[in-house]
Amino acid sequence: GDVASAAGCKVSEAESAMTAIAADTGAALEVSELGDIRYVFPKGARGALGQKSFKIKTVEPALETAGKVGSYLARVSFGTTLIASIAIVYAAIFALLSSRDSDRDDRRGGGSGGGMFFGPRMYFSPFDFLWYWDPYYYERRAYRAQLEGARDMNFFEAVFSFVFGDGDPNAEFERRRWALVGLAIQRNDGALAAEQLAPFLDRPDDAVGTEDESFVLPALTRFGGVPEVDKASNEIVYRFESMESTAGGFAGIEAVLETAPRGFSTAMAEEEEISFSLATRSQKTMAAALGVFNFVGVVALGFLVGDPQVALRNPELVAAVTALLPGLQAYAVSFFAIPAARWFFTRRKNEAIRARNESRLEASRALMRPGKLLQTKLDAAKREAGARRVVTGDDSVYSSAKGAAKFDEEEFDRKLRERNGP
């Protein structure tokens, strides 16, 4: 129960994983008089597990790193291509115009003006290329942005943020949600009414304000709960017997709070709304201006390569530009198509997030000031709750550790049958 609560995983998965890890690390299993199993791991268990498992030590980290590097380079290459696209487009325009009207070039001094100005300036430093080789930059920047909010970004960051956004702020939401459910179960000694789970779960729209309690089924499946009827009130109570015992209190609290965003509360599961971009307004304006500058240049370049006079004067250059033009056009369009589509879907997602948060908030407020009917269900849950059992080595009647004292097998079997039934 402690592991399932802290990790937010199913009780069956926690039991299977704990047994496998105990076997791999030489852990001892202690059994209490009531039949509760306590896993006692030796010091350095994590290192021993890593040394024994080639997959954990080598394969999984390599695959994770490769995936992050590939995803990162794909995103960064899109942002850095903006500079190359602008340079190619306007250099080609300059060359085509020069070939069409050499006299005008002569009046301008032969075309040697010392360099072109490619649109609005943004904060840029040659050292910005240093973060190009960091495969975890996107994840780290997204996490920092949640804590710090909008901040000054360099050129690549601002363009990257404008086009692709800053990551999903709810990447850890499901883990936090199920850890909170496990924490609520432990706090209520393994027995709860459906309303006590509602601040953490999602109810269907047509279930709000009704007696439909089907939304608790995922929690029952994950934590091994069963519905029971309180004889005194005939109310349904959900009991999680495997969560009634603990090896030392609420093991899930620290794990939940470690990844909690600002304003996090254990009273309900709250999702963060998705920001279009965490760049400042001026930075987003500049990124959009550069995109427009590139788009206008691509359109102008398309007209130039279609000019018969230009094609006659420099057919080789026109042929080369024509070959590049489809790619340049696709990039110029996608530079705005991707943010436009992202804005549309982000708006719809945020509407759904606000609706779910509001539903869970109402459920949490109802628990703070319960009415008569809700109070009846809460009282029923308290009656059905078992006494919390803190399993320690003092009440152990059996241990798999070497040199452990022997025990009366018949007496242990009898007590186990009394607890679990025939």
Side-chain angles (χ1 to χ4, degrees), residues 202-248:
D202 296 328
R203 291 183 288 180
D205 294 337
D206 56 359
V208 178
T210 70
E211 296 181 356
D212 183 4
E213 297 184 356
S214 60
F215 66 91
V216 304
L217 293 177
L220 299 182
T221 301
R222 182 172 291 268
F223 294 109
V226 294
E228 296 183 355
V229 178
D230 177 57
K231 297 180 180 179
S233 62
N234 289 327
E235 296 288 352
I236 297 178
V237 174
Y238 301 94
R239 187 172 181 182
F240 301 82
E241 188 175 0
S242 60
M243 308 289 284
E244 293 176 359
S245 59
T246 176

Side-chain angles (χ1 to χ4, degrees), residues 2 34 57 160 188 194 223 241 252 268 325 342 348 381 397:
D2 289 337
L34 296 177
K57 188 177 181 181
F160 180 58
N188 291 277
F223 294 109
E241 188 175 0
M268 62 172 287
L325 193 58
R342 204 165 50 78
R348 294 186 60 181
V397 297

Side-chain angles (χ1 to χ4, degrees), residues 20-239:
I21 295 173
D24 288 340
T25 58
L29 273 64
E30 296 181 354
V31 183
S32 69
E33 292 183 351
L34 296 177
D36 293 310
I37 298 177
R38 180 171 177 260
Y39 296 83
V40 183
F41 290 90
K43 294 182 179 180
R46 185 186 299 273
L49 186 65
Q51 292 177 1
K52 187 169 184 178
S53 175
F54 175 79
K55 182 179 180 182
I56 293 176
K57 188 177 181 181
T58 306
V59 178
E60 290 183 354
L63 291 176
E64 181 182 1
T65 301
K68 288 182 179 295
V69 168
S71 175
Y72 174 80
L73 290 179
R75 290 185 172 95
V76 167
S77 62
F78 189 97
T80 54
T81 300
L82 177 63
I83 300 175
S85 178
I86 292 176
I88 292 172
V89 167
Y90 283 93
I93 291 175
F94 182 82
L96 292 174
L97 289 176
S98 297
S99 64
R100 188 180 67 175
D101 195 350
S102 58
D103 292 340
R104 182 178 300 175
D105 289 339
D106 292 339
R107 288 195 299 270
R108 292 182 178 178
S112 55
M116 297 184 66
F117 176 69
F118 295 111
R121 294 183 59 84
M122 298 178 67
Y123 168 68
F124 173 76
S125 167
F127 295 102
D128 295 341
F129 285 100
L130 295 177
W131 61 264
Y132 184 91
W133 304 107
D134 181 5
Y136 299 97
Y137 172 79
Y138 181 64
E139 287 77 7
R140 275 199 284 267
R141 206 199 66 71
Y143 178 74
R144 291 201 313 269
Q146 293 182 34
L147 301 179
E148 302 172 7
R151 62 183 182 86
D152 288 338
M153 300 179 182
N154 60 43
F155 172 83
F156 295 104
E157 289 178 304
V159 173
F160 180 58
S161 177
F162 174 80
V163 177
F164 291 106
D166 302 278
D168 183 7
N170 298 305
E172 288 290 320
F173 173 74
E174 284 299 318
R175 194 188 75 82
R176 291 200 307 266
R177 179 221 292 272
W178 290 116
L180 286 171
V181 172
L183 179 60
I185 294 172
Q186 285 187 320
R187 279 178 168 173
N188 291 277
D189 299 333
L192 303 89
E195 286 79 0
Q196 291 173 287
L197 294 172
F200 313 104
L201 303 177
D202 296 328
R203 291 183 288 180
D205 294 337
D206 56 359
V208 178
T210 70
E211 296 181 356
D212 183 4
E213 297 184 356
S214 60
F215 66 91
V216 304
L217 293 177
L220 299 182
T221 301
R222 182 172 291 268
F223 294 109
V226 294
E228 296 183 355
V229 178
D230 177 57
K231 297 180 180 179
S233 62
N234 289 327
E235 296 288 352
I236 297 178
V237 174
Y238 301 94
R239 187 172 181 182

